[in-house]
Amino acid sequence: MEIHNATYLVSSAKVSQCPQPDKPEYAFIGRSNVGKSSLINMLTNNAKLAKVSKTPGKTTLINHFLINGERNADTPWYLVDLPGYGFAKRSQAQRAAWQKMLADYFQQRINLQTVFVLIDSRLSPQKIDLEFLAQLGEWGIPFNIVFTKADKNTQSETARNAKAFVNRMKEEWEYIPRTFITSTVKFTGRKDMLGYIEELNADFDPNAIAG
Ligand code: GDP
């Protein structure tokens, strides 16, 4: 799939404020600093796109972008930049609000095809990431894992960390969803991720949602 255009649409505090769920949607989430903005910019070929979500007031909101909305050749789809987890500075109340907003978003957003959960490929398996996946599992939300910043390790270190993470997942999960390895410096993983999104787009049936 080619990205012909990518535009910022809206930032929502509630799922009811999100755009009509008439297009396939892909959400991106991870710990702060995991490389989410860089990945979104790489995927969309737009060096500034995800900067919008980092502007004051939008870091705690659900940020929608429309991809390929102005061209008929490819299916238009929504890219969603979700607020990250693991901010030490957030208060208990802020964390509870984040949890509620995401619980509603994940459980009510009927056009959501998958959640790309970003994991820093330099780290050994982290409790906070595994806990988040367990939460997605409880909600029954499909997800895929994206190991980021692969250029910061040797290939074998990246492979070892990715394997260690998947092995930890296998303790809890029977089925391990597809994983991706990315580097925004080397443009690694872009084609694979866009190809995967294209496959899921092809299966999207707007009539099923309308009905
Ligand atoms: P976010 O907080 O998750 O949106 O993370 P950012 O995209 O802002 O990235 C955090 C830091 O990691 C920045 O300094 C990026 O330049 C750097 N970064 C992100 N992705 C990569 C990558 O693939 N390779 C390298 N070397 N650095 C990266």
Side-chain angles (χ1 to χ4, degrees), residues 87-152:
F87 288 98
K89 284 189 195 135
R90 282 194 189 149
S91 66
Q92 199 68 27
Q94 284 169 321
R95 260 177 246 180
W98 172 84
Q99 174 88 8
K100 164 95 175 77
M101 183 181 79
L102 286 189
D104 288 348
Y105 170 80
F106 285 127
Q107 291 170 344
Q108 294 174 29
R109 197 66 182 158
I110 49 180
N111 58 331
L112 182 64
Q113 303 304 293
T114 192
V115 184
F116 290 109
V117 181
L118 277 53
I119 306 290
D120 191 326
S121 71
R122 293 172 300 177
L123 305 178
S124 56
Q126 301 288 301
K127 194 168 162 228
I128 190 168
D129 293 320
L130 292 160
E131 280 175 359
F132 180 72
L133 294 183
Q135 177 72 84
L136 283 181
E138 269 172 43
W139 289 331
I141 308 301
F143 66 85
N144 293 90
I145 303 289
V146 181
F147 296 103
T148 61
K149 307 189 186 181
D151 61 282
K152 291 209 176 200

Side-chain angles (χ1 to χ4, degrees), residues 33-182:
N33 218 38
V34 71
K36 181 164 52 90
S37 309
S38 307
L39 183 75
I40 290 172
N41 292 341
M42 174 180 85
L43 290 176
T44 56
N45 259 342
N46 186 326
K48 294 195 190 123
L49 198 69
K51 231 179 158 180
V52 180
S53 334
K54 284 198 165 183
T55 55
K58 292 187 177 145
T59 53
T60 56
L61 301 175
I62 302 165
N63 297 291
H64 269 82
F65 299 88
L66 175 61
I67 313 298
N68 289 343
E70 295 159 27
R71 194 177 162 117
N72 295 328
D74 283 306
T75 309
W77 51 281
Y78 290 130
L79 185 157
V80 176
D81 189 352
L82 292 173
Y85 48 89
F87 288 98
K89 284 189 195 135
R90 282 194 189 149
S91 66
Q92 199 68 27
Q94 284 169 321
R95 260 177 246 180
W98 172 84
Q99 174 88 8
K100 164 95 175 77
M101 183 181 79
L102 286 189
D104 288 348
Y105 170 80
F106 285 127
Q107 291 170 344
Q108 294 174 29
R109 197 66 182 158
I110 49 180
N111 58 331
L112 182 64
Q113 303 304 293
T114 192
V115 184
F116 290 109
V117 181
L118 277 53
I119 306 290
D120 191 326
S121 71
R122 293 172 300 177
L123 305 178
S124 56
Q126 301 288 301
K127 194 168 162 228
I128 190 168
D129 293 320
L130 292 160
E131 280 175 359
F132 180 72
L133 294 183
Q135 177 72 84
L136 283 181
E138 269 172 43
W139 289 331
I141 308 301
F143 66 85
N144 293 90
I145 303 289
V146 181
F147 296 103
T148 61
K149 307 189 186 181
D151 61 282
K152 291 209 176 200
N153 319 307
T154 63
Q155 266 191 359
S156 60
E157 279 167 344
T158 302
R160 196 179 328 127
N161 288 339
K163 194 167 177 214
F165 194 86
V166 167
N167 283 342
R168 278 295 297 275
M169 282 181 70
K170 282 182 179 160
E171 293 170 14
E172 309 281 333
W173 304 78
E174 254 173 62
Y175 167 76
I176 303 296
R178 189 155 155 189
T179 62
F180 299 89
I181 289 182
T182 61

